[in-house]
Amino acid sequence: MSRTRVAILGLGLIGGSLGLALRQVGSEQVDVTGFARRAITGELALQMGAVDKLSDTPQAAVQDADFVFLCTPVLQMLPMAETVLPAMKPGAVLTDVGSTKGWFVKKIRNLLPQHIHYIGGHPMAGRERSGMEAAQADLFRDKWFIFTPLPDTPPDLMQRLRQLIQLTGAKTAELDERTHDQVTAVISHVPHVVAAGLVQLLRKQSDPALTARFIGGGFRDTTRIASSDADMWADICMTNSENIAAELDATVNLLGNVAAMIRAGDRQGVHDYFTQAKQLRDALLTTEKELK
Ligand code: NAP
């Protein structure tokens, strides 16, 4: 692979981790230019080694780039794309790391000039902490990185982007944006809403402090992701709203059935509920281990 020039716009947890991972490969292979909204973020990115250099404006960051990564919260990606598209060189690829894909694809399709291609991306990796200070070079290692190419994406560009991301240690896969949004609603978006709901439940108790005093591993484990960034999750809910709302309705319905079984003293029904969940989860974790 010849030297690839990458621009990363937004140096938070994901943008910063991408920079750290790509820079570990060596600057003879990959050159990373970053743009940070706040000076303090940019300084930290330089200090931690997530970028080779910083640009003062997003337009300057992208002008020589082969691949431009939008790494802001999802709703901020559109104004950022509008700002940088006119400054990108012909043949360059606009990509991103956003957690939802359909909303952005719909918007960007009408904005793309002929000489720029867009390929969506989503690393299935993250942490409940955010910002450059939480970035890690090995965040993507052995994790899925899903691409959502468009029907007219040239295969050679898809292949180059795949190879670039594989340098981070990620496993790559391709889905259309609709399937991506359905799948991630179930395995990522709804679990985040539900984890936050469990914390809200505690808040609504008559004496939340007393209840919280006795928190153990169960509450801690199931609510870990409720510590994630509210800005990011509000954007995700606004840009995959139909899938998330439908799966939340299904969750409420499912829990309603469990509540009814508990009220009715249907021990066998409740037992089956836990047994089926345990069997499926244990099987999923075993398959995951075998795939590694
Ligand atoms: P983050 O740590 O909060 O970082 C977001 C970065 O975007 C910050 O560095 C912030 O800059 C910058 N930013 C925000 N608004 C901006 C704007 N208007 N113009 C320029 N820069 C702006 O968030 P993250 O976790 O890296 O998430 C970034 C993207 O990755 C999101 O789209 C999210 O959906 C996706 N994603 C996140 C995870 C996860 O678990 N966190 C996983 C997969 C995908 P400053 O620091 O300078 O303020």
Side-chain angles (χ1 to χ4, degrees):
M1 202 177 187
S2 57
R3 189 170 191 237
T4 305
R5 291 182 187 277
V6 168
I8 300 179
L9 309 176
L11 294 161
L13 170 68
I14 301 293
S17 297
L18 181 65
L20 287 171
L22 291 177
R23 287 206 65 236
Q24 280 198 343
V25 177
S27 52
E28 61 292 340
Q29 268 199 77
V30 185
D31 175 83
V32 181
T33 302
F35 168 75
R37 174 176 59 170
R38 292 179 303 147
I40 190 166
T41 303
E43 280 158 25
L44 191 58
L46 272 176
Q47 220 177 72
M48 288 172 66
V51 293
D52 290 283
K53 57 188 178 304
L54 282 174
S55 290
D56 291 339
T57 63
Q59 294 94 325
V62 304
Q63 63 190 4
D64 295 325
D66 303 301
F67 294 95
V68 173
F69 285 86
L70 303 170
C71 297
T72 64
V74 178
L75 287 177
Q76 300 301 323
M77 286 182 182
L78 194 62
M80 184 60 93
E82 285 172 324
T83 305
V84 297
L85 276 172
M88 286 173 64
K89 67 179 187 186
V93 171
L94 179 71
T95 181
D96 71 276
V97 295
S99 304
T100 59
K101 297 269 74 87
W103 177 85
F104 190 71
V105 166
K106 250 188 224 144
K107 304 275 180 196
I108 198 74
R109 263 202 171 128
N110 303 326
L111 296 176
L112 277 182
Q114 278 247 311
H115 60 279
I116 306 286
H117 290 276
Y118 167 73
I119 304 174
H122 179 196
M124 299 303 292
R127 304 179 65 191
E128 63 278 20
R129 291 180 55 211
S130 39
M132 183 66 226
E133 58 276 23
Q136 293 176 330
D138 62 355
L139 190 72
F140 306 116
R141 181 154 300 284
D142 298 328
K143 303 289 185 340
W144 285 110
F145 202 115
I146 302 174
F147 295 112
T148 56
L150 300 177
D152 61 353
T153 297
D156 60 314
L157 288 184
M158 185 61 255
Q159 174 66 357
R160 283 188 65 205
L161 179 57
R162 201 183 293 122
Q163 285 173 342
L164 178 70
I165 288 302
Q166 284 169 352
L167 294 174
T168 68
K171 305 177 285 186
T172 56
E174 282 148 49
L175 291 177
D176 66 79
E177 67 276 9
R178 271 174 61 100
T179 310
H180 168 277
D181 285 359
Q182 282 161 359
V183 167
T184 53
V186 176
I187 61 167
S188 171
H189 307 163
V190 167
H192 269 83
V193 180
V194 172
L198 293 174
V199 183
Q200 293 285 2
L201 180 70
L202 189 149
R203 201 174 65 89
K204 285 183 188 303
Q205 300 304 300
S206 56
D207 190 346
L210 174 77
T211 312
R213 192 167 149 206
F214 303 107
I215 281 173
F219 188 87
R220 216 176 281 276
D221 287 351
T222 37
T223 60
R224 178 183 59 81
I225 52 180
S227 292
S228 303
D229 184 61
D231 216 16
M232 177 179 128
W233 280 98
D235 281 14
I236 290 171
C237 289
M238 294 305 103
T239 54
N240 192 18
S241 50
E242 278 181 28
N243 287 313
I244 296 175
E247 296 302 340
L248 277 175
D249 286 346
T251 309
V252 169
N253 191 23
L254 206 135
L255 292 179
N257 288 339
V258 181
M261 288 190 290
I262 293 172
R263 257 191 212 107
D266 178 2
R267 187 180 185 282
Q268 189 57 49
V270 176
H271 191 277
D272 289 348
Y273 170 75
F274 285 120
T275 305
Q276 285 163 3
K278 174 177 166 46
Q279 283 172 349
L280 180 57
R281 185 170 190 275
D282 290 353
L284 289 174
L285 293 189
T286 313
T287 319
E288 207 175 64
K289 227 186 246 167
E290 282 167 1
L291 286 175
K292 274 195 178 170

